[in-house]
Amino acid sequence: VEVLGKWVKANKGENVTIAEAVKMEDVKKMILADMTAHGKGQKLRSFELPKDLTFMTEVNELGQGFSVENEMMTPSMKLKRPQLTKHFQKTFDDMYAALKASGVA
């Protein structure tokens, strides 16, 4: 987040927040390209590399998107997979549909 914050200020302006920046297509492409390059550098196979990504910008005062308060984690800090799947199902479906339409998936 710190590196992205510095990049956003340098390339998009002082008044652009990270939450706003990650909604910009060129920023998303830059992050995805960096993740892909890193994965290839680690010799990941093509099916292990991300084809798309989305950002959770609703975070609490500690910068956490998943928490006990929003019922996405247990008190022992384990992810509640059924709740996460339910919350993000439309996002997943939209991402896969877009990838399929573009011929990537």
Side-chain angles (χ1 to χ4, degrees):
V1 173
E2 291 175 24
V3 172
L4 180 60
K6 289 177 185 176
W7 185 90
V8 167
K9 285 184 181 178
N11 295 283
K12 298 294 179 181
E14 289 285 327
N15 296 325
V16 177
T17 66
I18 291 177
E20 294 168 334
V22 296
K23 293 177 184 173
M24 298 174 182
E25 196 60 32
D26 60 330
V27 173
K28 181 178 170 180
K29 284 181 180 180
M30 186 250 330
I31 294 169
L32 188 58
D34 188 58
M35 291 174 67
T36 301
H38 183 73
K40 286 181 178 179
Q42 296 298 310
K43 309 239 188 287
L44 295 180
R45 291 179 257 161
S46 64
F47 69 87
E48 296 174 302
L49 298 171
K51 305 291 187 260
D52 197 3
L53 51 98
T54 189
F55 299 94
M56 183 171 186
T57 56
E58 302 106 24
V59 296
N60 63 17
E61 62 279 353
L62 299 175
Q64 300 167 323
F66 302 159
S67 66
V68 175
E69 291 78 23
N70 67 10
E71 299 182 4
M72 300 220 187
M73 296 188 84
T74 67
S76 61
M77 305 309 281
K78 295 177 186 170
L79 295 175
K80 291 184 171 181
R81 293 179 190 269
Q83 287 85 337
L84 289 166
T85 300
K86 183 178 178 183
H87 182 82
F88 290 106
Q89 191 63 58
K90 181 169 176 8
T91 302
F92 298 153
D93 292 343
D94 292 346
M95 286 174 67
Y96 279 111
L99 288 170
K100 186 174 182 181
S102 70
V104 175

